[in-house]
Amino acid sequence: MKKIFVNGTFDILHLGHVALLEYAKSLGDELTVGIDSDIRVKELKGNDRPINDQRERALMLLSLKCVDKVMIFDTDEDLIELVSDCDVMVKGSDYKNKPIVGQNVCKELIFFERLNGYSTTEKIKNIANR
């Protein structure tokens, strides 16, 4: 069984997320999605985030037929442990030439070309400016 891993915040699901997850699932048999805990999202993105709490984000992801498992992580060490159990890690192309937590323990790292115009941060800005 070929295990695929993707991680991120996945705060407000959009078409870019769905495309990434469907692509990742096409690479193997089981897709695990690691999501940042609420505490970690606040640390990374500020006190106004997340919009959806970790339980809601996990349930939304699990409702997608391409997602087999969702794991919530708090630290880089937790993330590394999750990645070490998978065969392929998939990251968005915006991570090319940047340090990626867990890349040294994954068997293979594949980049997904992000869809232009899809960003949770931009969606939040658009909603706030209406």
Side-chain angles (χ1 to χ4, degrees):
M1 175 183 295
K2 193 170 185 180
K3 296 179 180 181
I4 313 301
F5 183 81
V6 172
N7 72 284
T9 302
F10 298 98
D11 195 3
I12 297 177
L13 285 180
H14 54 68
L15 217 53
H17 289 137
V18 174
L20 164 69
L21 295 168
E22 288 180 343
Y23 170 75
K25 176 66 176 200
S26 76
L27 300 173
D29 304 300
E30 181 182 89
L31 175 60
T32 298
V33 180
I35 61 170
D36 298 291
S37 69
D38 291 346
I39 292 167
R40 187 170 167 98
V41 173
K42 284 192 183 313
E43 291 169 358
L44 294 171
K45 300 188 181 279
N47 286 330
D48 292 339
R49 301 280 300 275
I51 302 297
N52 293 298
D53 69 36
Q54 62 193 33
R55 182 182 156 280
E56 292 171 308
R57 291 182 284 130
L59 289 172
M60 284 187 282
L61 287 164
L62 283 170
S63 74
L64 300 174
K65 64 182 175 182
C66 59
V67 175
D68 297 298
K69 287 195 285 188
V70 174
M71 307 295 287
I72 299 168
F73 63 93
D74 285 313
T75 66
D76 285 357
E77 292 76 22
D78 293 343
L79 177 55
I80 290 167
E81 188 175 321
L82 293 174
V83 173
S84 67
D85 187 42
C86 294
D87 299 302
V88 178
M89 181 181 198
V90 180
K91 293 296 287 182
S93 57
D94 53 323
Y95 281 90
K96 285 182 181 175
N97 303 316
K98 292 181 183 176
I100 298 170
V101 176
Q103 74 181 58
N104 57 332
V105 297
C106 70
K107 296 173 185 151
E108 185 177 4
L109 175 63
I110 295 176
F111 290 99
F112 172 76
E113 199 60 43
R114 285 181 61 138
L115 302 181
N116 287 332
Y118 292 98
S119 158
T120 299
T121 301
E122 289 304 312
K123 286 220 177 269
I124 292 169
K125 285 179 187 173
N126 289 340
I127 292 167
N129 292 328
R130 287 184 179 196

